């Protein structure tokens, strides 16, 4: 039969509200929740997808939202993580390994006028079991790749002044390949080092 409870007492814990139980609750059919709900543990789905639908009118700020919030009651400190979106798979038996993550970190102490944040993307290289940083998008919108970058299309550099490619080696040396609309293409090298052109990677063709 149908069990109907018309008491409207809301809940703030496992022991409050119009219905509460000291045991578990099994539901074979759909569950309808009419307002914001709180879960103090993990949410696990074994044979389905997690689907979020926003039925509000579409707009430039609309759509479904997944929000990860760090809240211990204090302002977030610089370098502290705000949240993580991870990907995992079974290795052996029932052991899961999280092998790729997208993480967000504060880059300054949060306040009413400062909320600097960066994004970090981690992957796991073949034949290893540890995640490694692959890409960082910093608070100033700069991007740093830790590996090679292969492009199948064009690389377009847009700047209010010069469009430049900066080259830096591990010893601190640097050079600049840039385009200046008033000058043209320039290759700049430190004053103590000549500009050299090689063919086949090793044969000096022009200095």
């Amino acid at each position: 039969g149908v069990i109907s409870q018309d008491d409207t007492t809301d809940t703030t814990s496992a022991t409050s509200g119009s219905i509460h139980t000291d045991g578990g609750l099994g539901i074979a059919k759909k569950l309808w929740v009419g307002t914001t709900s709180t879960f103090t543990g993990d949410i696990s789905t074994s044979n389905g997808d997690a689907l979020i639908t926003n039925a509000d009118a579409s707009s430039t700020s609309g759509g479904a939202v997944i929000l990860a919030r760090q809240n211990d009651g204090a302002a977030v400190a610089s370098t502290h993580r705000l949240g993580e979106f991870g990907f995992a798979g079974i290795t052996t038996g029932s052991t899961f390994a999280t092998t790729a993550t997208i993480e967000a970190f504060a880059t300054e102490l949060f306040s009413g006028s400062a909320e600097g944040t960066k994004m970090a993307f981690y992957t796991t290289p073949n034949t290893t079991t540890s995640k490694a940083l692959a890409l960082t998008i910093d608070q100033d919108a700069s991007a740093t790749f830790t590996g090679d970058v292969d492009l199948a299309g064009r690389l377009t550099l847009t700047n209010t002044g010069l469009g430049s490619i900066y080259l830096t080696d591990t010893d601190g040396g640097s050079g600049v390949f840039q385009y200046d609309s008033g000058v043209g293409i320039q290759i700049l090298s430190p004053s103590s080092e000549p500009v050299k052109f090689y063919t086949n990677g090793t044969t000096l063709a022009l200095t």
Side-chain angles (χ1 to χ4, degrees):
V2 176
I3 299 176
S4 179
Q5 170 59 272
D6 295 327
D7 187 279
T8 59
T9 303
D10 212 340
T11 181
T12 56
S13 69
T15 58
S16 62
S18 59
I19 298 176
H20 56 89
T21 175
D22 292 335
L25 179 63
I27 301 175
K29 297 290 185 177
K30 295 179 180 179
L31 173 66
W32 182 275
V33 180
T35 185
T36 302
S37 300
T38 300
F39 297 87
T40 58
D42 295 336
I43 300 175
S44 176
T45 173
S46 58
N47 293 305
D49 298 326
L51 177 62
I52 300 174
T53 301
N54 186 339
D56 295 337
S58 63
S59 69
T60 56
S61 60
V65 176
I66 299 176
L67 179 62
R69 299 194 300 184
Q70 166 61 30
N71 180 18
D72 62 0
V76 178
S78 179
T79 74
H80 287 194
R81 191 171 67 181
L82 302 176
E84 171 188 313
F85 191 85
F87 303 86
I90 287 182
T91 54
T92 56
S94 59
T95 301
F96 279 89
T98 301
T99 56
T101 59
I102 302 172
E103 305 179 25
F105 295 87
T107 55
E108 61 185 350
L109 176 65
F110 274 23
S111 68
S113 59
E115 298 172 348
T117 303
K118 69 178 180 181
M119 299 289 294
F121 295 74
Y122 289 83
T123 58
T124 300
N126 286 348
T127 71
T128 73
T129 58
S130 299
K131 292 188 286 112
L133 181 62
L135 167 64
T136 301
I137 302 177
D138 219 323
Q139 49 79 31
D140 58 359
S142 62
T144 302
F145 292 86
T146 56
D148 296 339
V149 179
D150 297 323
L151 301 177
R154 295 179 178 178
L155 173 63
T156 301
L157 305 177
T158 302
N159 197 337
T160 54
L162 301 176
S164 304
I165 299 176
Y166 290 86
L167 310 174
T168 303
D169 63 22
T170 55
D171 295 326
S174 63
V176 181
F177 180 87
Q178 68 183 22
Y179 171 77
D180 185 344
S181 59
V183 178
I185 296 175
Q186 305 176 85
I187 301 176
L188 308 179
S189 176
S191 58
S192 60
E193 300 178 9
V195 176
K196 298 180 180 180
F197 295 85
Y198 288 83
T199 59
N200 300 323
T202 56
T203 303
L204 180 62
L206 176 66
T207 300

